[in-house]
Amino acid sequence: MKGKALLLILLLLGGYLYFNGYIKIPDNLGPDNNPYPPGGGSGSGGFSNGLTSSDAQNLRQTVISMGASDAYVSLSSGRTLVQFEVPAVDEGLMGMAYEVAKKAYEANPTKEVRVEAYYLGEPVLGLTVHNGDFDNPEFEDIRRPEFKVESDLWIFDVLVHNVTITNDTASVTLEYLADKEGFWKDYFAMSFLILEDAPWVKEISITYLADNGSLTVSTSSDDLLRLHSGEITAEELPGIVHISAENTGGNVEPESTCAPSKEDAYRLFVQAYNNVTSLQSSGASDEEIREAYAEYQKARACYESFLTTTTSAASSGEVGEIKTVTLDTEGAAGVEFSTGEMNGFDEIGDDMWKDVDVAAEPWCVDYPALLGHWIDLGEGSLDALDPGKIPTSGYPTGEVSGEIKAGHVYVNLNSDGTLTAFELVSHEKTGDCSHRITIRYANLGGG
């Protein structure tokens, strides 16, 4: 960011950082306390060519009289350096730096005059003049990368809590105060801005703080550049965004990032997914689909935040009789494995896992999906299942949902603590969001 916009933003940011204690003003900017001493070392600089310490002191007092709260001066035969602290950053700072450079050149007309402005101990603006050519001054943004990111993000409706930049990652923690409709647009805009300020990093990560927890969204730098150049389509967009959420419980306001309960999170997750598929089938614009995908990613991360723990189950090592059942989203959608009893959604109570162990998902997708507490064992066959290789741990305590594939074996943790292995036999899509799914299953431990 340059010019007036940069300076106004720094003014606002500086006040925020100062009053919240993030940055301390040094007692002075003398040789021992200057945060960025010349040449990376310390000291007051050398004096030669007839110069004395009083020359430096006179120039320092001149700079202070021009409005600086303090100043550090180093004079030598080849270079003049002035670093000064300003009480505020406003649109007059560039002009002040220019006038300071002129005074420095008058005091010590060297080949290079370097002026650096600091605010609250942070380097802000640099100016270099070569050979007294004041018609071609070289202004620089000399903020630290962390401070630059923090101040540049001020144009968004956010409160920045922390910025950490390494050789590989730029991580920002903030509160997002804007309307949630603009969340994903702002996310990508902020990510591009962060990448511009730290172009060497490989990943941009933004953690959003909310009353009920946090949501971390990250994207690789390569994918951000591909998105910026138009190489990534709406269909590919979900694949470049990685989301993780941490739910800490407590009351959640309606505008919070995540849902107040697992049930609400699941409902919003399915709703968001159906919205994406509906838009795709209706020929909606790429922008509409992209926004829907973004909402789906957020809803999925919210739902998965309730599924962070796993539990164990016992298995006797015996595979029971293999049975076949058909689940229909328009009829008997769920089955209780221990009894073989079938139930439709209108027959399932508020605690559905008292009535069924798995249920067909009414998703607007082309593939079959089951809701339950299952894990995928990978490729295999129920007929060739080795009971000794059935895991007794790692099963989700919260329900999971997703695609089941032919040729894979799945194991479900039932509500009574037993395990059931199952596999897909056939699938028929009977409507836009309706499915008929046939599975074979065998209770582990007999039955």
Side-chain angles (χ1 to χ4, degrees):
M1 303 178 67
K2 301 178 180 178
K4 295 183 178 179
L6 165 65
L7 299 175
L8 178 59
I9 291 167
L10 289 176
L11 173 63
L12 296 173
L13 176 67
Y16 168 73
L17 293 174
Y18 173 66
F19 287 112
N20 286 276
Y22 288 106
I23 295 176
K24 304 295 184 182
I25 299 178
D27 293 334
N28 61 70
L29 284 179
D32 298 327
N33 295 297
N34 172 34
Y36 292 87
S42 60
S44 59
F47 302 102
S48 60
N49 197 28
L51 297 169
T52 66
S53 60
S54 62
D55 295 315
Q57 281 292 333
N58 290 337
L59 178 55
R60 175 177 179 271
Q61 290 300 324
T62 298
V63 174
I64 292 175
S65 68
M66 296 171 67
S69 56
D70 205 346
Y72 167 76
V73 173
S74 175
L75 304 178
S76 70
S77 59
R79 185 171 188 256
T80 302
L81 172 67
V82 178
Q83 296 171 316
F84 64 96
E85 177 84 10
V86 292
V89 177
D90 54 31
E91 59 186 16
L93 180 58
M94 295 180 72
M96 180 179 178
Y98 184 82
E99 292 302 320
V100 168
K102 290 179 69 175
K103 293 293 184 182
Y105 187 75
E106 291 173 3
N108 188 33
T110 54
K111 292 182 178 180
E112 179 183 301
V113 172
R114 175 69 175 179
V115 172
E116 295 176 351
Y118 287 77
Y119 177 59
L120 302 179
E122 286 284 346
V124 176
L125 181 69
L127 168 61
T128 303
V129 175
H130 297 282
N131 299 313
D133 184 5
F134 283 89
D135 291 332
N136 296 289
E138 298 176 3
F139 285 96
E140 297 175 63
D141 181 350
I142 61 172
R143 292 171 295 165
R144 293 182 301 110
E146 291 83 357
F147 188 62
K148 186 180 295 186
V149 167
E150 192 165 9
S151 58
D152 284 357
L153 288 179
W154 201 257
I155 62 175
F156 299 93
D157 196 0
V158 299
L159 291 178
V160 179
H161 287 251
N162 183 64
V163 178
T164 302
I165 298 177
T166 67
N167 289 336
D168 296 319
T169 306
S171 303
V172 179
T173 302
L174 52 79
E175 292 180 57
Y176 184 70
L177 307 178
D179 193 301
K180 65 180 182 179
E181 277 71 21
F183 178 88
W184 285 101
K185 179 181 178 182
D186 283 349
Y187 165 72
F188 285 113
M190 286 189 286
S191 296
F192 285 129
L193 188 150
I194 294 169
L195 183 58
E196 182 178 281
D197 288 338
W200 61 87
V201 300
K202 298 177 182 178
E203 183 179 75
I204 305 297
S205 176
I206 302 178
T207 296
Y208 298 87
L209 302 179
D211 292 338
N212 67 318
S214 63
L215 180 75
T216 300
V217 186
S218 59
T219 306
S220 74
S221 301
D222 288 342
D223 284 336
L224 282 171
L225 293 175
R226 290 172 57 222
L227 178 63
H228 184 66
S229 65
E231 297 177 38
I232 293 179
T233 66
E235 290 76 13
E236 296 172 318
L237 189 60
I240 73 169
V241 179
H242 307 282
I243 303 174
S244 62
E246 179 178 347
N247 193 287
T248 58
N251 296 325
V252 181
E253 297 298 326
E255 293 296 323
S256 293
T257 302
C258 202
S261 68
K262 180 172 62 178
E263 291 74 19
D264 286 340
Y266 175 69
R267 175 179 54 80
L268 294 173
F269 171 43
V270 174
Q271 185 180 76
Y273 194 97
N274 288 343
N275 185 40
V276 171
T277 57
S278 177
L279 288 172
Q280 287 176 326
S281 62
S282 64
S285 67
D286 286 348
E287 182 178 359
E288 289 177 304
I289 295 174
R290 186 180 296 112
E291 291 178 355
Y293 263 125
E295 289 298 321
Y296 163 69
Q297 289 278 14
K298 184 168 63 172
R300 184 183 71 177
C302 176
Y303 175 59
E304 289 177 350
S305 73
F306 290 94
L307 311 177
T308 56
T309 58
T310 61
T311 189
S312 300
S315 173
S316 68
E318 179 185 354
V319 177
E321 177 187 357
I322 296 178
K323 303 175 182 179
T324 301
V325 65
T326 298
L327 308 176
D328 192 335
T329 55
E330 298 297 319
V335 59
E336 185 177 9
F337 285 130
S338 61
T339 63
E341 182 179 348
M342 307 285 293
N343 285 289
F345 286 117
D346 58 343
E347 302 170 302
I348 296 174
D350 292 336
D351 186 356
M352 68 180 296
W353 306 118
K354 291 182 179 179
D355 300 313
V356 297
D357 291 314
V358 296
E361 284 280 30
W363 281 9
C364 304
V365 294
D366 292 330
Y367 56 77
L370 287 187
L371 174 65
H373 298 80
W374 48 264
I375 60 174
D376 184 357
L377 298 185
E379 295 184 356
S381 168
L382 200 59
D383 297 297
L385 182 62
D386 182 354
K389 295 184 178 179
I390 303 299
T392 58
S393 63
Y395 296 90
T397 56
E399 65 264 26
V400 296
S401 57
E403 178 182 6
I404 59 170
K405 301 178 180 179
H408 282 227
V409 175
Y410 303 84
V411 179
N412 190 73
L413 173 62
N414 304 323
S415 57
D416 60 2
T418 62
L419 299 175
T420 297
F422 66 90
E423 64 183 2
L424 176 66
V425 175
S426 65
H427 164 246
E428 179 185 0
K429 187 174 181 181
T430 57
D432 288 341
C433 305
S434 303
H435 302 266
R436 187 174 294 120
I437 303 169
T438 299
I439 61 172
R440 299 171 76 221
Y441 71 93
N443 294 318
L444 303 177

